[in-house]
Amino acid sequence: MSKSLARKNGVILALDVTDEKTALTVSREVAEAVDAIKIGYPLVLGTGLSIAEKLSRIAPVIADFKVADIPNTDRLICEHVFDAGCDAVIVQGFTGPDSLTECVKTANEYQKKVFVVAEMSHPGGDHFFTDSVSKEIAAMAKKSGAFGIVAPATRPERVKELRGVIGSGLKIISPGVGAQGGSAADTIKAGADWVIVGRSIYGSKNPREEAEKVKREIEKYI
Ligand code: XMP
């Protein structure tokens, strides 16, 4: 039985290492300080999807595949993700309501979760995801029954605005803290439920210490 995401620390590890040994070592080291492990193409292409089941014994796993296809293909992808032991999947919203609804329907059948990308965290992330597009995607995520959205820790003011769109019913996970320059405390204060942190944790000499540092930075705001 895979673990289910619940907020204790407010930190999600983005595990973009590419070999199994490092993935398992880092995950075990930081397990007490994080609430979930986010995996994506770098790790899954490097090790195979079976890594998800191994990690799911350590912490809930979020599959960041940014699923973006027609409904049938989306469903097939989501089924693989959930069969592999992941607790949640990240999908794109720009593909439209029918694609998103199919992902949410599949997640519900598995009693799992869907997060919808509302706006990306890198400098070019707001080029196409303009203010109004992001808000429209967030509103669609709410309507679809998704568990939450992804919003950029590099733009806390956008996190705040998107929180205004979705209200308190949906969760917000926010990448962009650390290596991309975002502040964990500012992001949580703006309305995120979790910050997602990758390189500044797994790339450090002491991942556990780094994860604890982020946890301590936000503990009074969660
Ligand atoms: P770093 O190393 O920058 O890692 O702390 C960030 C992680 O988050 C992913 N990422 C995103 N995922 N929407 C997403 O769904 C985004 O806007 C976004 N920005 C970054 C990135 O791939 C890495 O795993």
Side-chain angles (χ1 to χ4, degrees), residues 119-142:
E119 182 175 316
M120 295 195 69
S121 60
H122 58 303
D126 59 0
H127 185 81
F128 289 111
F129 286 99
T130 56
D131 183 30
S132 63
V133 169
S134 298
K135 283 183 176 158
E136 221 175 301
I137 291 176
M140 187 179 67
K142 183 178 179 183

Side-chain angles (χ1 to χ4, degrees), residues 14 16 38 64 66 90 117 119-121 150 175 177 179-180 196-199 202:
D16 295 322
K38 184 180 81 65
D64 185 357
K66 296 188 180 70
I90 294 177
V117 178
E119 182 175 316
M120 295 195 69
S121 60
V150 187
V177 166
Q180 293 181 66
I196 299 173
V197 190
R199 286 164 286 178
Y202 70 73

Side-chain angles (χ1 to χ4, degrees), residues 2 15 17-20 23-24 37-57 61-65 67 75-90 110:
S2 63
L15 191 56
V17 299
T18 54
D19 72 285
E20 178 169 325
L24 293 173
I37 299 166
K38 184 180 81 65
I39 62 173
Y41 294 113
L43 182 59
V44 171
L45 293 176
T47 65
L49 185 56
S50 59
I51 191 72
E53 195 274 326
K54 291 169 190 161
L55 292 171
S56 72
R57 290 182 225 149
V61 174
I62 300 172
D64 185 357
F65 289 157
V67 181
R75 178 177 50 78
L76 294 170
I77 296 168
C78 290
E79 284 174 355
H80 272 290
V81 163
F82 298 134
D83 282 336
C86 297
D87 183 51
V89 64
I90 294 177
Y110 281 81

